[in-house]
């Protein structure tokens, strides 16, 4: 999201949006940025950088077609990185240390161009921090340093209940959810 805001600010004549893809070989959905540049579509992934989608803007106006192209391109790029030893297959991203977890939550809150709220969620016997934010009207997002950002079109009425539901969908045994000011949440860990 921070990349998209910065890109559209620097290049107001271009377009940039987030797009959730589900490439073959990935553990699940993955959100990337897609943007136009000089009449062509490109994508940006935090791990793979910027890569071409091989489509002109006029040839690929539908989101479904763009999503399919991005999934194929990101999947191919990930296989190349795996073959070169730049990434590992099957590594568990859930084993993020408490220190890195806090650093990632703090960095995300700082980078976001919108307000965010930290939530402490009881997951089994551990407490985990999640960062909730609204990237756009009618859209919510929940950042977990171990799994990334989950987003959906939604207008929540009960945000703590929604945070719990998303944590459960991410595979956590989530029970108690407590909103916390960011500084207080990080100071307690």
């Amino acid at each position: 999201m921070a990349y998209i805001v910065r890109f559209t600010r620097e290049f107001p004549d271009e377009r940039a949006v987030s797009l959730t893809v589900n490439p073959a070989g990935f553990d699940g959905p993955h959100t990337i940025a897609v943007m136009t540049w000089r009449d062509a579509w490109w994508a940006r992934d935090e791990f793979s950088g910027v890569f071409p989608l091989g489509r002109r803007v006029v040839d690929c106006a539908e989101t479904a077609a763009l999503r399919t192209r991005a999934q194929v391109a990101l999947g191919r790029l990930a296989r190349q990185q795996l073959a070169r030893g730049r990434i590992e297959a099957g590594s568990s991203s859930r084993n993020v240390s408490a220190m890195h977890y806090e650093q990632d939550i703090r960095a995300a809150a700082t980078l976001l161009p919108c307000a965010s709220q930290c939530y402490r969620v009881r997951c089994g016997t551990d407490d985990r921090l999640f960062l909730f934010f609204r990237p756009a009207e009618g859209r919510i997002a929940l950042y977990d340093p171990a799994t990334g950002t989950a987003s959906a079109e939604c207008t929540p009425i009960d945000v703590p209940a929604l945070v719990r539901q998303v944590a459960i969908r991410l595979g956590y045994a989530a029970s108690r959810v407590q909103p916390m000011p960011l500084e207080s949440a990080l100071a307690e860990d």
Side-chain angles (χ1 to χ4, degrees):
M1 185 173 169
Y3 178 84
I4 290 170
V5 168
R6 192 174 67 238
F7 181 87
T8 55
R9 188 179 304 137
E10 291 182 26
F11 306 104
D13 294 335
E14 301 291 347
R15 289 186 291 168
V17 295
S18 65
L19 184 68
T20 301
V21 295
N22 199 1
F26 275 53
D27 290 336
H30 187 71
T31 302
I32 61 174
V34 291
M35 61 283 204
T36 60
W37 183 250
R38 297 184 179 169
D39 198 35
W41 281 104
W42 293 75
R44 188 233 182 225
D45 171 67
E46 68 177 304
F47 302 107
S48 301
V50 176
F51 53 96
L53 295 179
R55 292 288 186 257
R56 290 178 19 156
V57 172
V58 294
D59 296 340
C60 200
E62 294 181 30
T63 302
L66 193 56
R67 179 176 286 112
T68 299
R69 186 63 182 175
Q71 286 176 163
V72 170
L74 184 58
R76 183 181 324 112
L77 188 56
R79 286 189 299 279
Q80 290 171 351
Q81 290 175 324
L82 182 62
R84 293 180 183 137
R86 293 185 181 155
I87 59 173
E88 295 179 23
S91 62
S92 174
S93 59
R94 300 254 177 172
N95 298 326
V96 176
S97 73
M99 181 182 74
H100 285 111
Y101 217 90
E102 291 176 15
Q103 290 173 344
D104 287 352
I105 291 280
R106 185 183 306 278
T110 302
L111 288 170
L112 286 172
C114 60
S116 60
Q117 172 70 53
C118 194
Y119 285 85
R120 183 175 300 285
V121 179
R122 184 60 143 179
C123 297
T125 59
D126 297 323
D127 285 345
R128 288 195 175 263
L129 296 178
F130 291 85
L131 192 64
F132 175 85
F133 57 100
R134 298 173 195 223
E137 185 68 34
R139 190 144 191 90
I140 59 99
L142 189 69
Y143 174 63
D144 168 28
T147 59
T149 303
S151 65
E153 290 183 20
C154 175
T155 304
I157 295 171
D158 184 350
V159 174
L162 180 65
V163 168
R164 181 177 175 272
Q165 290 172 354
V166 174
I168 289 170
R169 296 270 322 240
L170 292 173
Y172 294 104
S175 56
R176 185 185 75 236
V177 176
Q178 180 181 8
M180 305 189 74
L182 183 63
E183 291 308 316
S184 296
L186 296 179
E188 291 181 18
D189 277 346

